[in-house]
């Protein structure tokens, strides 16, 4: 089932998102028309007075490569989802190559220039452009969704586990049992503390379990200072044996574990700069913003038997009792950037290869999504696809992300469905 369709009235006031079948009916009877393709939004042909809307929560799970965004209504139904793919590494590479070119030029042209690296200051809260891009693209999409749906609150995943919930985790007795929220927090805490490695054999990339250093049956406590992380094999092999007995002949490992178990994790709330910046930015939107922890998200997702996807994780952010997922075909968005302003394309050494025409080219830009009717040939048919125009009056369209491109004449284009906005859609 597809995402619900966003709906606005003739005054562009957001109304409740509607079921895709309902949307089709409105379009067939001429009561509504397409306002925007991405996100798919309909506009009703009249002004609706006293719109009765239910509040919608916008939930965000920010990730380093992909961010999940979901809309959840007041009946705990996930009605809309999207995944936003970031381009952090592309930005980093582009800036690095610009830096190399600049350094080279300045060495050539201004050889006796004074060193000027100490006169630069970064403002407080500065983030690298590749990180800032994540915050800004998410902000763009949140603002965009606020225009087409009545968002009542925003929920964002902020940290892996709540340190306040685990105050003095080393001394307080905790209920670490799997299947409880606290269990998930303790687990995440231990995984972080022991660097996701089996304490006994040093294996990584295996399922890890919570392990009592002094077994429960031998009087060991549930305190975090008595817990460590072990792979299943080691966990079973050790059983309720004493650690000194189990690791006989490996005194350095014993002392390391015992020392690490007593020491609290200092940078547990390892500040994820991007997430905090995003929270700051979202708070400026004058909507109530609440945060959830990664442990809560995982706890919800596993308890509700949901698949591990970014947009589902987003829907699971925060305290949720039930969740009904009403969509599976979600909007997949990839950040592509707005294209460069370079007029001269060079080879790897820097020699000019070709000159690029100014945008727009015959009225189109790379990244425009257009409706094309090809009248003849093997590729005859109608397409709605992303375009790359050439200055000689031809161009290419990319009907599906995996499929090959198709060469077209620009005169075959009927209309631009969605103008270039720095994203590609699937
Ligand atoms: Zn092990």
């Amino acid at each position: 089932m597809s995402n619900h369709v966003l709906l606005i009235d003739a005054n562009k006031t957001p109304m409740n998102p509607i079921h895709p079948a309902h949307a089709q009916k409105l379009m067939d009877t001429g009561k509504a028309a397409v306002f925007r393709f991405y996100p798919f939004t309909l506009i009703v042909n009249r002004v609706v007075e006293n719109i009765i809307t239910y509040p919608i929560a916008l939930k965000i799970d920010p990730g380093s490569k992909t961010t999940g965004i979901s809309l959840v209504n007041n009946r705990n139904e996930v009605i809309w989802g999207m995944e936003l793919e970031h381009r952090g590494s592309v930005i980093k590479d582009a800036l690095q190559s610009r830096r190399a070119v600049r350094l080279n030029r300045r060495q050539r042209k201004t050889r006796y220039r004074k060193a000027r690296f100490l006169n630069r200051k970064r403002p407080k809260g500065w983030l690298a452009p590749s990180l800032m891009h994540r915050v800004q693209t998410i902000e763009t999409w949140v603002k965009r969704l606020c225009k087409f749906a009545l968002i009542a609150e925003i929920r964002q995943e902020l940290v892996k586990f709540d340190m306040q919930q685990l105050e003095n985790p080393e001394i307080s007795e905790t209920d670490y049992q799997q299947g409880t929220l606290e269990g998930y927090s303790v687990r995440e805490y231990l995984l972080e503390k022991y660097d996701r490695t089996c304490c006994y054999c040093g294996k990584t990339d295996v399922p890890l379990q919570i392990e009592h250093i002094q077994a429960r049956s031998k009087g060991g406590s549930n305190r975090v200072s008595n817990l460590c992380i072990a792979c299943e094999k080691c966990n079973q092999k050790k059983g309720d044996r004493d650690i000194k007995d189990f690791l006989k002949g490996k005194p350095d490992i014993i002392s390391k574990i015992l020392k690490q178990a007593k020491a609290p994790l200092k940078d547990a709330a390892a500040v994820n700069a991007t997430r905090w910046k995003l929270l700051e930015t979202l708070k400026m939107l004058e909507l109530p913003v609440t945060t959830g922890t990664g442990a809560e998200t995982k706890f919800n997702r596993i308890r509700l038997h949901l698949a591990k996807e970014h947009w589902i994780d987003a829907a699971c952010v925060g305290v949720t009792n039930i969740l009904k997922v009403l969509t599976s075909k979600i909007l997949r968005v990839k950040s592509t950037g707005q294209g460069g302003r370079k007029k001269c394309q060079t080879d790897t050494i820097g020699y000019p290869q070709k000159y690029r025409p100014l945008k727009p080219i015959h009225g189109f830009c790379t990244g425009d999504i257009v409706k094309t009717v090809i009248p003849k040939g093997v590729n005859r048919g109608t397409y709605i696809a992303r375009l790359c125009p050439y200055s000689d009056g031809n161009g290419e369209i990319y009907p599906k992300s995996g499929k090959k491109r198709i060469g077209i004449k620009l005169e075959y284009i009927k209309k631009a469905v969605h103008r270039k906005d720095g994203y590609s859609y699937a």
Side-chain angles (χ1 to χ4, degrees), residues 197-204 206-208 229-235 237 246:
T197 329
C198 172
C199 288
Y200 299 136
C201 67
K203 259 190 204 154
T204 50
V206 287
L208 295 165
I229 282 288
C231 66
E232 197 185 351
K233 229 174 168 182
C234 293
N235 199 351
K237 233 200 284 176
F246 177 63

Side-chain angles (χ1 to χ4, degrees), residues 373-402:
V373 180
I374 301 177
K376 56 189 177 190
V378 260
N379 294 319
R380 189 173 46 222
T382 306
Y383 299 89
I384 291 179
R386 194 177 156 89
L387 171 78
C388 174
Y390 301 151
S391 50
D392 63 1
N394 294 318
E396 281 174 345
I397 52 170
Y398 308 89
K400 260 176 200 152
S401 45

Side-chain angles (χ1 to χ4, degrees), residues 24-32 45:
Q24 190 62 49
K25 218 171 178 181
L26 285 182
M27 280 196 288
D28 290 346
T29 51
K31 285 180 180 160
N45 62 5

Side-chain angles (χ1 to χ4, degrees), residues 128-393:
S130 55
L131 302 179
M132 204 54 208
H133 137 85
R134 285 175 200 144
V135 177
Q136 284 165 338
T137 45
I138 295 172
E139 187 193 2
T140 301
W141 275 93
V142 170
K143 280 185 177 166
R144 204 167 271 177
L145 289 171
C146 285
K147 268 201 252 168
F148 304 130
L150 202 90
I151 309 290
E153 60 156 333
I154 299 176
R155 253 189 227 179
Q156 185 210 329
E157 184 182 305
L158 188 62
V159 285
K160 279 189 182 150
F161 38 82
D162 195 349
M163 278 306 277
Q164 265 152 4
Q165 243 175 35
L166 290 173
E167 207 175 355
N168 279 334
E170 307 302 323
I171 45 171
S172 57
E173 184 105 359
T174 49
D175 177 14
Y176 82 93
Q177 284 298 320
Q178 289 273 350
T180 63
L181 175 57
E182 212 166 350
Y184 277 87
S185 291
V186 171
R187 227 181 93 81
E188 288 296 320
Y189 177 86
L190 289 169
L191 284 172
E192 197 78 356
K193 182 168 164 181
Y194 293 98
D195 208 13
R196 289 169 199 274
T197 329
C198 172
C199 288
Y200 299 136
C201 67
K203 259 190 204 154
T204 50
D205 294 327
V206 287
L208 295 165
Q209 301 175 338
I210 293 178
E211 152 76 9
H212 285 84
I213 294 172
Q214 192 184 359
R216 280 295 273 163
S217 57
K218 298 278 167 69
S221 76
N222 265 342
R223 285 176 188 171
V224 177
S225 58
N226 186 39
L227 298 176
C228 69
I229 282 288
C231 66
E232 197 185 351
K233 229 174 168 182
C234 293
N235 199 351
Q236 281 186 353
K237 233 200 284 176
K238 181 174 175 287
D240 62 354
R241 279 201 280 169
D242 190 71
I243 183 170
K244 282 178 187 128
D245 188 28
F246 177 63
L247 291 174
K248 216 170 199 174
K250 295 174 189 162
D252 38 328
I253 296 185
I254 297 176
S255 64
K256 194 183 147 205
I257 294 174
L258 292 178
K259 211 171 134 196
Q260 206 170 2
K262 290 271 161 6
L265 180 59
K266 280 269 161 50
D267 52 349
V271 183
N272 187 333
T274 317
R275 288 180 165 203
W276 283 93
K277 189 86 184 176
L278 178 65
L279 179 65
E280 247 173 62
T281 314
L282 293 177
K283 277 184 176 165
M284 309 277 266
L285 297 178
E286 295 180 345
L287 277 171
V289 183
T290 49
T291 60
T293 65
E296 259 170 358
T297 305
K298 198 173 169 188
F299 171 63
N300 286 334
R301 177 166 52 76
I302 290 177
R303 189 173 46 98
L304 299 167
H305 306 289
L306 296 172
K308 170 140 187 54
E309 288 198 54
H310 294 283
W311 65 279
I312 287 184
D313 264 352
C316 291
V317 168
V319 182
T320 320
N321 285 327
I322 42 162
L323 210 55
K324 215 170 143 196
V325 182
L326 294 188
T327 173
S328 58
K329 262 195 213 158
I330 56 151
L331 178 63
R332 292 184 194 275
V333 182
K334 192 177 169 189
S335 307
T336 55
Q338 301 279 359
R341 268 161 294 183
K342 213 192 243 174
K343 278 180 78 183
C344 173
Q345 195 175 322
T346 60
D347 65 7
T348 45
I349 308 165
Y351 283 107
Q353 291 290 297
K354 65 176 181 188
Y355 289 88
R356 287 180 175 156
L358 279 178
K359 285 183 267 191
I361 300 162
H362 299 297
F364 297 103
C365 292
T366 298
D368 285 351
I369 292 163
V370 292
K371 186 180 174 187
T372 316
V373 180
I374 301 177
K376 56 189 177 190
V378 260
N379 294 319
R380 189 173 46 222
T382 306
Y383 299 89
I384 291 179
R386 194 177 156 89
L387 171 78
C388 174
Y390 301 151
S391 50
D392 63 1

Side-chain angles (χ1 to χ4, degrees), residues 36-48:
R36 199 188 157 105
F37 264 80
Y38 306 101
F40 194 62
T41 310
L42 292 187
I43 182 163
V44 180
N45 62 5
R46 63 191 178 93
V47 176
V48 182

